Amino acid sequence: MKHHFYKRWLVGLAASITMSLSLMAAAGTSRAFVPMGVADSVGVIDLESRQMTSSIAGTVNTHGSALTPDGRYLIVGSLTAHESEEPVSRPEGVTEDEHAAHHGGGAAATSEESNAGLLYVVDTETNAIVRKLEVPGPVHHVLVTSDGRYAVSTHPMGGGISVVDLDSGKVVKTVATGPAPNYMVETDDGQSLLVSNSGNDTISEVDTGHWFVKRNLRVGGGPEHMVLAPDNERLYVNNVTSGQVVVVELSSGTVAATYEVGEEPHGVGLSEDGQVLYATSKGSNRVVRIDLASGTRQSAALAPAPYHLAVSPRNGQLLITSRTKSKLWVLDSESLKVIDEIPLEGIGHQISIKGKK
């Protein structure tokens, strides 16, 4: 009897050790986290083997994702409205009118209890959802501030952003930025967030010390995804209407240049040194590479409908999802040749990458 007991105990111990070692090994690799929308999961891709090694279940229609600065937690946002467990309170310092505007104004504001949004907090070492945080409306894109203190979400149906304190899990601020806010980037000093408002062709600069809009920049063309140059002087914004990436000089707030991309531009990224711009064109089925010093434009066919784009910090390779197929391409950043195709469980959205170079 004792023999069988100890045998079972040893087998169980060995399995536990194997699982622990496997999780530790996975935690040490470079990984991409890809929300997969209505597939209700988040894909986890090992960037060394270029395989989807696991998926995070228990999410609903996630589009936005962002990692905490230490990489320990992944914040993913649901684009589906959820029934609120408790009324969404008006944050301190926000007037009733501002609060109503944030939730769509008028009748929309009165039904906010049934139109809440959710952020999922995922432990990246175990892939387990450890917290669910309620926010005032469905979430499109997500950003975690560089100090790791706040998770910020864009609410396309609410006309602004919400700010969640990750320690308390509570919404501490909402900021009305403009109709259909889409994407966000943060300046290196952490003092400003830039929010693209695709509904009125503007970029809002938000003061993160006091959470208010300190200026609006008109860029035209339905601005969506953005990337900020390493020197924080130039902001590259894709403009859906014009089929271009627009370059905004932040010091003057003016458009300094434009680059042709193609119909329905979507993903945009920069090389680590900020010298090369990459962009995808869903409508033209192309990926574009632009040398910013020379202005040389290179493009390659990529079909169907290249969508979200991320530049791997590990090796500079491009990760691009498809808007109509459940897959992710890995491209060489110099030649734009496809290195690999990785099957996904759904349509891939905002890509977050964890791992050292």
Side-chain angles (χ1 to χ4, degrees):
M1 188 72 173
K2 283 185 177 180
H3 173 74
H4 290 300
F5 171 78
Y6 284 120
K7 185 176 181 181
R8 289 197 303 271
W9 180 80
L10 288 169
V11 169
L13 179 63
S16 178
I17 292 172
T18 299
M19 181 176 291
S20 297
L21 290 173
S22 176
L23 287 171
M24 288 173 63
T29 60
S30 297
R31 288 174 292 160
F33 297 88
V34 187
M36 292 185 287
V38 294
D40 293 343
S41 62
V42 178
V44 183
I45 296 172
D46 185 310
L47 295 180
E48 294 178 14
S49 65
R50 298 196 294 272
Q51 299 289 323
M52 193 174 86
T53 55
S54 60
S55 64
I56 300 162
T59 66
V60 175
N61 193 17
T62 48
H63 280 233
S65 76
L67 287 158
T68 54
D70 59 5
R72 178 64 191 275
Y73 296 103
L74 175 75
I75 314 298
V76 284
S78 172
L79 194 54
T80 293
H82 294 258
E83 192 71 29
S84 177
E85 294 183 0
E86 58 184 47
V88 180
S89 61
R90 175 164 53 92
E92 183 181 354
V94 176
T95 68
E96 290 184 7
D97 287 345
E98 289 171 337
H99 192 52
H102 176 74
H103 290 285
T110 64
S111 61
E112 63 189 31
E113 288 84 356
S114 61
N115 195 35
L118 277 182
L119 295 177
Y120 303 91
V121 181
V122 179
D123 186 322
T124 60
E125 294 185 3
T126 64
N127 288 344
I129 297 172
V130 294
R131 296 175 80 186
K132 295 180 182 179
L133 308 176
E134 193 169 286
V135 292
V139 175
H140 196 183
H141 291 114
V142 179
L143 178 145
V144 175
T145 55
S146 55
D147 58 8
R149 185 175 178 184
Y150 301 112
V152 187
S153 307
T154 58
H155 301 289
M157 291 174 279
I161 61 174
S162 67
V163 184
V164 173
D165 185 301
L166 288 175
D167 285 336
S168 68
K170 300 296 185 181
V171 175
V172 293
K173 290 289 182 181
T174 60
V175 183
T177 59
N182 189 287
Y183 209 79
M184 296 169 289
V185 293
E186 182 185 27
T187 56
D188 284 346
D189 59 13
Q191 294 181 9
S192 295
L193 285 186
L194 297 158
V195 183
S196 59
N197 303 300
S198 57
N200 67 357
D201 303 340
T202 64
I203 305 294
S204 294
E205 184 175 2
V206 177
D207 182 304
T208 58
H210 302 91
W211 296 110
F212 70 95
V213 174
K214 53 186 177 182
R215 64 171 173 166
N216 287 306
L217 311 175
R218 182 165 292 280
V219 296
E224 292 188 348
H225 286 216
M226 307 180 291
V227 64
L228 188 58
D231 60 7
N232 284 219
E233 172 54 27
R234 291 195 161 197
L235 179 71
Y236 298 86
V237 187
N238 66 18
N239 284 42
V240 175
T241 304
S242 66
Q244 299 172 320
V245 169
V246 170
V247 186
V248 180
E249 282 190 353
L250 292 180
S251 58
S252 64
T254 59
V255 173
T258 58
Y259 296 104
E260 296 297 324
V261 175
E263 295 179 14
E264 296 180 77
H266 199 83
V268 62
L270 284 170
S271 59
E272 184 183 5
D273 61 7
Q275 297 302 304
V276 181
L277 176 71
Y278 305 98
T280 60
S281 165
K282 286 188 299 177
S284 301
N285 290 319
R286 304 199 72 77
V287 58
V288 175
R289 180 186 191 277
I290 298 168
D291 185 295
L292 295 173
S294 66
T296 303
R297 181 184 185 277
Q298 174 187 354
S299 72
L302 191 65
Y307 192 37
H308 284 256
L309 178 153
V311 181
S312 171
R314 178 175 172 268
N315 50 23
Q317 291 175 347
L318 308 183
L319 309 181
I320 300 174
T321 62
S322 168
R323 184 65 184 91
T324 58
K325 295 290 184 181
S326 298
K327 66 178 178 180
L328 179 146
W329 294 283
V330 181
L331 274 66
D332 179 85
S333 59
E334 295 287 335
S335 66
L336 300 184
K337 290 183 178 179
V338 175
I339 298 170
D340 214 339
E341 291 187 10
I342 302 172
L344 302 177
E345 296 172 348
I347 301 302
H349 298 280
Q350 186 180 13
I351 304 166
S352 293
I353 298 176
K354 176 184 179 181
K356 296 181 179 179
K357 302 169 188 176

